[in-house]
Amino acid sequence: MNEAHDIRASTTRKTALPAPGPTGNLVLGVMPEFNRDTLGFIERAREYGDVVRMRFFYLTVHFLYNPDHIEYVLSTNAKNFIKSRSLRTPFFRKLVGNGLLTSEGQEWKRQRRLAQPAFHRQRISGYGDVMVEYADRMISGWNEDEVRDIHRDMMKLTLEIVVKTLFNADISGEADKVGRVLSKMVKPFASQATLKWILDNRLPTPTNRRFHADAREIDNIVFRLIAERRSSGADQGDLLSMLLAAQDEDGSRMTDRQLRDEVMTLFLAGHETTALTLSWAWYLLAQNPEVEKNFHAELDEVLQGRLPTVADMPRLKYTEKIAKESMRLYPPAYGVGREAIQEFELGGYRIPAKAQLFMFQWVTQRDPRFFAEPNRFYPERWTEEFTSGLPKYADFPFGGGPRACIGNYFAMMEVVLLLATIGQRFRFSLLPDHQVSLMPAMSLRPAEGIPVRVAKR
């Protein structure tokens, strides 16, 4: 980073001023503009500088665009921040409860200790064969020249895999239903910067009632699976067995409610974000024949017609670069939020206690200061030399600091193995009459799916 951007955080000086930023509407602040064009707004706000202040109705909000500042909030001074209010709304609490994603303080530390063994690399590597088997089973029914929604297929596939690895349960019949319910549940999150969102969270509106009905439907499935496992008492080698057996230092274990909350967190994090990375990777590959050609060449050389295994991953380097570049351009989690506990200074600006801070992978990972030709899909950029020279938080698809995603190895392994399994047998072309558009809800989704034409290799 050059000197102009080497801006350090420090304790607040009385002389520090509030950061600049858009003023927006007299009553609602920037809410209407943000909601009209979320991604465009967070890109335009960058013009005010690396620290941008604004008002969302009654909340003071800061957007941070400098990797050094992002590191300060997520890692260096993480103790001064809790999760943002957007993760503490009634809808979000209903969806994931008080699991790893939302809990704070000692409760979070305890949950992390209990969950950590389930995500040991050796344990996770054992799920590689399941991932490949399920992908191979799905594509065995695909036909030349048929049109498929690749996003829907990836959502169904990753849901089946997460259910199998979580519960050792094969719910192919139920996976579509669970996927549809989860899809309905995340749609209201696209309207977070509206008065409707505030009212829907607090009043028994039709949206509120539908959301809670959907949540009960998901809960019924999850609690049933937990109850079945508790009664059998068997270690089935899955994540649920690990979570059930996990014991804290005082001998305590997770309650059914805690298990449910962790399972729902893993349901969403382990299914939707992975499916989105795969969906956007196929979308990008379909538009970049040279990258696709290099991808196929690696698969042919490494696999020679057989299915991939975890042991192949060190040699699937280009496939891994495709995954990294897809997550750079279309990060499933396109923003991370925190709330300041105490007032502090960042980049020479005063930031008050209770301010909401948002850091956007969508903008930082496309910043021309760190990425040449930032909008180009160019997996070759991910050399060791390039990575070592990149500021730590210029690319942070899994967040960072103590709250970094616990399942990042699981996710990367799954993306690489599924790309290899499917890419070895099929390639895809986009339909010319379908415009793929973005829906930034809880994650970065294609609004109307990604229909593709299937071709056998």
Side-chain angles (χ1 to χ4, degrees):
M1 256 192 215
N2 63 39
E3 201 172 314
H5 295 294
D6 183 18
I7 310 168
R8 291 178 297 279
S10 64
T11 54
T12 309
R13 298 190 306 266
K14 296 296 181 188
T15 54
L17 297 170
T23 51
N25 182 288
L26 186 64
V27 177
L28 298 176
V30 300
M31 276 174 63
E33 193 182 347
F34 178 87
N35 195 55
R36 248 191 329 268
D37 177 18
T38 300
L39 298 177
F41 179 83
I42 62 176
E43 287 167 1
R44 292 189 296 275
R46 169 74 186 79
E47 294 166 12
Y48 287 90
D50 279 338
V51 182
V52 185
R53 180 179 182 271
M54 63 201 76
R55 183 173 52 83
F56 279 71
F57 198 19
Y58 56 88
L59 289 176
T60 300
V61 173
H62 290 75
F63 289 178
L64 308 181
Y65 296 100
N66 187 312
D68 289 351
H69 297 165
I70 295 167
E71 182 172 17
Y72 178 80
V73 172
L74 295 183
S75 183
T76 316
N77 198 30
K79 288 181 179 176
N80 189 41
F81 304 96
I82 58 174
K83 288 298 180 92
S84 64
R85 288 204 185 190
S86 57
L87 293 187
R88 306 203 309 266
T89 60
F91 273 14
F92 207 88
R93 287 289 189 188
K94 184 67 181 171
L95 188 59
V96 298
N98 206 30
L100 278 174
L101 194 61
T102 50
S103 57
E104 298 288 353
Q106 291 305 312
E107 188 173 11
W108 170 78
K109 285 181 181 175
R110 176 182 182 272
Q111 289 295 95
R112 183 89 180 195
R113 277 197 307 272
L114 288 169
Q116 193 71 53
F119 290 90
H120 189 276
R121 280 194 175 219
Q122 198 169 348
R123 183 90 179 191
I124 293 300
S125 295
Y127 301 133
D129 290 346
V130 170
M131 296 167 178
V132 171
E133 178 195 335
Y134 274 52
D136 187 51
R137 184 177 72 184
M138 180 184 75
I139 63 177
S140 65
W142 289 4
N143 299 305
E144 176 77 21
D145 213 34
E146 73 174 319
V147 172
R148 305 192 64 88
D149 180 352
I150 199 70
H151 174 239
R152 185 182 168 192
D153 283 334
M154 294 302 102
M155 290 285 272
K156 182 172 187 285
L157 175 59
T158 59
L159 182 64
E160 288 179 355
I161 289 168
V162 83
V163 168
K164 179 68 174 175
T165 54
L166 254 178
F167 303 113
N168 194 30
D170 194 328
I171 61 154
S172 299
E174 282 186 287
D176 255 346
K177 177 187 170 187
V178 175
R180 280 196 303 273
V181 175
L182 283 173
S183 272
K184 282 193 294 176
M185 289 182 76
V186 301
K187 274 190 177 169
F189 289 84
S191 307
Q192 287 186 71
T194 62
L195 284 175
K196 182 181 186 303
W197 167 260
I198 294 168
L199 295 174
D200 283 339
N201 265 271
R202 289 162 175 77
L203 300 174
T205 62
T207 300
N208 180 293
R209 290 196 297 272
R210 276 196 305 274
F211 185 89
H212 284 273
D214 291 338
R216 284 193 296 274
E217 202 170 343
I218 296 283
D219 277 357
N220 288 341
I221 296 170
V222 173
F223 278 121
R224 187 191 79 224
L225 290 164
I226 290 170
E228 286 171 1
R229 182 60 54 79
R230 277 214 197 271
S231 65
S232 79
D235 180 350
Q236 298 197 17
D238 54 18
L239 291 170
L240 182 58
S241 292
M242 289 288 285
L243 294 174
L244 277 162
Q247 227 173 301
D248 205 6
E249 294 151 356
D250 62 0
S252 62
R253 299 177 188 268
M254 288 192 203
T255 64
D256 278 6
R257 169 52 61 176
Q258 286 170 325
L259 278 166
R260 177 262 174 221
D261 292 348
E262 295 308 343
V263 162
M264 278 309 300
T265 301
L266 296 174
F267 245 126
L268 284 166
H271 135 65
E272 188 183 27
T273 54
T274 309
L276 286 167
T277 299
L278 288 160
S279 301
W280 293 122
W282 297 126
Y283 172 71
L284 289 162
L285 283 165
Q287 297 172 84
N288 292 272
E290 194 59 36
V291 174
E292 186 185 59
K293 185 177 140 191
N294 293 337
F295 170 51
H296 291 157
E298 176 175 89
L299 298 183
D300 294 345
E301 181 188 342
V302 173
L303 302 178
Q304 299 183 9
R306 62 175 172 77
L307 289 172
T309 67
V310 173
D312 294 312
M313 286 190 61
R315 295 179 64 209
L316 293 170
K317 290 291 185 195
Y318 194 73
T319 306
E320 184 184 1
K321 289 177 180 179
I322 288 170
K324 284 178 71 71
E325 185 73 342
S326 300
M327 284 191 286
R328 181 186 74 80
L329 284 169
Y330 291 95
Y334 64 95
V336 179
R338 293 289 186 269
E339 180 179 301
I341 298 169
Q342 295 179 335
E343 183 179 277
F344 68 106
E345 185 186 318
L346 199 61
Y349 297 113
R350 185 176 68 251
I351 299 179
K354 296 193 180 298
Q356 306 299 302
L357 303 147
F358 289 95
M359 299 138 281
F360 294 103
Q361 290 97 328
W362 174 259
V363 178
T364 308
Q365 293 176 185
R366 290 169 175 251
D367 192 323
R369 291 181 293 180
F370 318 117
F371 301 96
E373 298 183 84
N375 296 321
R376 180 185 173 196
F377 180 56
Y378 185 57
E380 287 82 358
R381 77 172 79 240
W382 292 101
T383 62
E384 282 185 27
E385 184 185 7
F386 172 74
T387 304
S388 65
L390 197 64
K392 189 174 179 183
Y393 282 81
D395 182 72
F396 58 114
F398 295 107
R403 303 295 297 248
C405 173
I406 197 173
N408 56 359
Y409 176 70
F410 184 105
M412 279 303 290
M413 181 178 80
E414 184 172 10
V415 170
V416 170
L417 288 176
L418 297 190
L419 283 173
T421 304
I422 298 166
Q424 186 174 220
R425 286 177 51 191
F426 293 98
R427 56 185 304 275
F428 310 104
S429 55
L430 301 176
L431 302 189
D433 57 347
H434 181 88
Q435 182 68 40
V436 174
S437 56
L438 295 164
M439 183 178 80
M442 202 161 47
S443 49
L444 196 62
R445 289 175 155 230
E448 304 295 334
I450 305 177
V452 295
R453 192 169 298 282
V454 175
K456 289 183 180 177
R457 283 192 58 215

